[in-house]
Amino acid sequence: MSSVTKIPASEHGINPREIDKKARTILKSLTDAGYEAYLVGGGVRDLLLGFHPKDFDIATSATPEQVKEVLPSTRIIGRRFRLAHVHFGREYFEVATFRAPHDDSDKGQVGQHGRIIHDNVYGTVVEDAYRRDFSINALFYDLKNGEVLDFVGAMDDLEKRQLRMIGDPVVRYREDPVRMIRAIRFAAKLDLSIEPASEAPIRELSSLLGNIAPARLFDEALKLFHSGQAIKTLELLREYHLLEYLFPQAEKSLNEDIDKDGKEGTYTKLVYAALTNTDKRIRADMPVTPAFLFAVMLWKRVREGSIMYSELGNPALQSMHLAASDAFGEQVKCISVPRRFSNMTREIWTLQGLFAFKNERRVLRFLEHKRFRAAYDFMCLRVRAGELPEEECEWWTLIQEVDAAEKKAMCLAASPGKSKSRNKRRKNG
């Protein structure tokens, strides 16, 4: 367990200038103060794979309190996992103290199902490496001499392009079931295979995700579907029976959305079109919103519910609101959704009905609505999925591009009967 492979800078090819300057400042400050400190985890992994890391996490022998002594801008957070966040204005870097195997003290408790409850048992860099989840996340970069430290055979796994759990996969998944989701995310994002022993227990243990706090799964869901590989992620989640614990209504809708000849319906096409669009936006470094993800995933349930409530005699808008409340009521049992996103999702849904009205006054007012663009994008995806005629997206695309006179002409052409009636009323009035 104590053996280490040291890969010199001449072999691994990491350029220290690719590491964020602030992260380098933290590493240097801690080592100058006499502590061990390394860049660790995804930052090292991504640099070795040729990606530009989004996060630069640091592991150190210093306790959170000692980190704060060296770097006064530090804030100590967490109870289950005590961490140091070193702030640079609004930006911060996560600094974790080396962790050791669990014991039976108050600092390191494991619950009834094997899940970690408290995790503040500090240890050495070697012990910390073996505590990490997957081998490729257990590489340590030493800024002082440029070496990469490998305690768990991670470099071999990177060469094989495989994801391997450190230790007994069953025990490790039970410690933290979210590791199953992380396995899917890394496999999809980094185009890795999951090593057979690490893959085998996932389907059997997938139900453990039901014990995870819905608030935590919100963040994990965003990481999954906003990684730039949303289509592959969705397919892997379904293959390993994990989607049903994140988006149970979507899983049910996808299973139902197949006709007797095995052809996919409009909902499946909508989901794939939306996730393809999300991947393109992320790869182009364009913004995406969680509200859109939930709007797509829950759409079939909401649309069917809206029809049901309308048939019971409710007005169209009220029917949509009732169906939306039903869908979110079920969804938040698995993934809690902050209100700022759930409200935006509801608006995307309720605004769909306005695309049917093309008289000038309503069109001009609609175009000024703060959620018009999101609702328009969603409507055009419905067109791509075959749920609406192509003319709908084409008309609303053109109306945004033409001048005021042409807008008026388009609206008159789209609803001539209503315009004649209005002119007649004015003449008689």
Side-chain angles (χ1 to χ4, degrees):
M1 181 172 173
S2 60
S3 63
V4 57
T5 300
K6 296 183 178 181
I7 303 95
S10 59
E11 293 183 19
H12 60 64
I14 292 177
N15 183 350
R17 292 185 179 180
E18 294 183 50
I19 301 170
D20 189 283
K21 185 177 180 181
K22 301 180 190 73
R24 298 202 309 263
T25 297
I26 296 170
L27 290 166
K28 188 175 186 305
S29 297
L30 289 171
T31 53
D32 286 351
Y35 299 106
E36 291 181 80
Y38 305 95
L39 184 69
V40 67
V44 183
R45 177 200 70 215
D46 288 351
L47 287 169
L48 289 169
L49 289 172
F51 299 118
H52 181 70
K54 289 187 177 180
D55 300 307
F56 294 91
D57 294 335
I58 292 165
T60 179
S61 59
T63 65
E65 291 75 17
Q66 290 169 334
V67 174
K68 188 172 179 64
E69 287 179 10
V70 176
L71 297 152
S73 64
T74 297
R75 297 177 190 170
I76 299 173
I77 67 156
R79 298 177 70 179
R80 178 183 166 207
F81 301 101
R82 281 173 60 75
L83 295 168
H85 283 179
V86 181
H87 285 256
F88 294 83
R90 293 185 178 181
E91 187 180 14
Y92 69 83
F93 292 79
E94 188 170 283
V95 180
T97 306
F98 297 147
R99 301 192 189 281
H102 292 92
D103 56 26
D104 293 327
S105 70
D106 291 338
K107 295 181 179 180
Q109 296 179 13
V110 176
Q112 180 182 356
H113 300 289
R115 187 177 165 217
I116 299 171
I117 299 173
H118 294 291
D119 189 24
N120 292 308
V121 185
Y122 301 137
T124 66
V125 62
V126 181
E127 290 173 317
D128 189 78
Y130 279 88
R131 278 290 317 280
R132 294 184 177 270
D133 50 10
F134 300 101
S135 65
I136 61 170
N137 294 335
L139 290 162
F140 296 76
Y141 176 77
D142 189 341
L143 184 66
K144 284 172 59 178
N145 57 30
E147 290 180 337
V148 169
L149 308 183
D150 180 5
F151 300 92
V152 295
M155 296 300 287
D156 289 339
D157 288 326
L158 280 179
E159 193 168 332
K160 294 175 183 176
R161 305 288 299 186
Q162 75 173 6
L163 191 66
R164 178 176 58 84
M165 180 65 74
I166 300 169
D168 183 339
V170 172
V171 173
R172 302 309 306 282
Y173 290 139
R174 286 189 178 278
E175 284 179 350
D176 186 359
V178 169
R179 286 171 178 154
M180 293 184 283
I181 297 177
R182 286 166 60 81
I184 300 305
R185 175 158 61 92
F186 294 138
K189 179 182 177 181
L190 303 173
D191 192 25
L192 304 175
S193 63
I194 304 177
E195 182 258 344
S198 303
E199 175 191 39
I202 294 178
R203 293 178 182 86
E204 180 185 346
L205 299 177
S206 61
S207 62
L208 293 176
L209 285 176
N211 300 324
I212 301 299
R216 186 181 177 200
L217 289 182
F218 174 77
D219 293 329
E220 293 297 332
L222 298 194
K223 291 176 185 176
L224 279 167
F225 288 101
H226 291 171
S227 68
Q229 295 290 342
I231 294 288
K232 189 170 183 179
T233 295
L234 176 71
E235 292 173 345
L236 287 173
L237 286 172
R238 299 193 71 199
E239 179 183 346
Y240 289 99
H241 303 167
L242 296 171
L243 186 67
E244 61 197 85
Y245 297 101
L246 300 173
F247 290 96
Q249 296 169 97
E251 173 68 14
K252 183 180 179 184
S253 296
L254 288 166
N255 288 334
E256 293 174 347
D257 197 44
I258 298 175
D259 65 19
K260 61 182 180 180
D261 298 321
K263 292 183 179 179
E264 297 173 341
T266 57
Y267 171 73
T268 303
K269 293 175 183 176
L270 173 70
V271 170
Y272 274 75
L275 296 184
T276 298
N277 186 59
T278 296
D279 286 344
K280 286 180 180 178
R281 291 182 67 86
I282 287 171
R283 290 169 192 165
D285 203 24
M286 297 171 67
V288 292
T289 173
F292 211 81
L293 173 65
F294 287 92
V296 170
M297 289 298 197
L298 301 178
W299 175 240
K300 187 171 186 288
R301 169 86 160 90
V302 169
R303 190 175 182 224
E304 291 171 349
S306 178
I307 293 170
M308 179 194 73
Y309 282 116
S310 293
E311 290 174 348
L312 292 173
N314 295 284
L317 186 60
Q318 184 182 4
S319 295
M320 182 63 75
H321 280 300
L322 290 169
S325 294
D326 289 345
F328 269 118
E330 288 297 313
Q331 182 58 48
V332 296
K333 295 175 184 177
C334 304
I335 299 176
S336 65
V337 187
R339 186 166 293 179
R340 66 185 184 278
F341 297 126
S342 62
N343 285 346
M344 183 177 176
T345 298
R346 287 171 182 268
E347 286 187 277
I348 290 172
W349 289 332
T350 54
L351 291 174
Q352 294 305 298
L354 296 185
F355 289 105
F357 299 98
K358 295 187 174 69
N359 66 74
E360 184 182 4
R361 184 181 298 177
R362 296 188 73 163
V363 166
L364 293 178
R365 191 164 63 239
F366 189 22
L367 290 172
E368 295 300 316
H369 195 287
K370 65 178 181 179
R371 299 294 183 216
F372 170 79
R373 187 69 199 189
Y376 160 79
D377 289 342
F378 189 76
M379 182 271 291
C380 286
L381 285 172
R382 293 174 64 199
V383 169
R384 284 176 58 187
E387 191 177 305
L388 296 171
E390 290 185 13
E391 294 77 19
E392 282 297 288
C393 184
E394 291 172 357
W395 194 92
W396 284 97
T397 300
L398 184 59
I399 199 76
Q400 297 173 69
E401 299 170 353
V402 298
D403 61 24
E406 289 176 296
K407 279 183 171 65
K408 184 173 184 177
M410 286 180 65
C411 292
L412 284 171
S415 52
K418 293 181 180 179
S419 299
K420 287 179 181 177
S421 299
R422 185 167 60 248
N423 291 335
K424 187 176 181 180
R425 286 197 302 272
R426 285 175 179 169
K427 193 172 183 179
N428 296 335

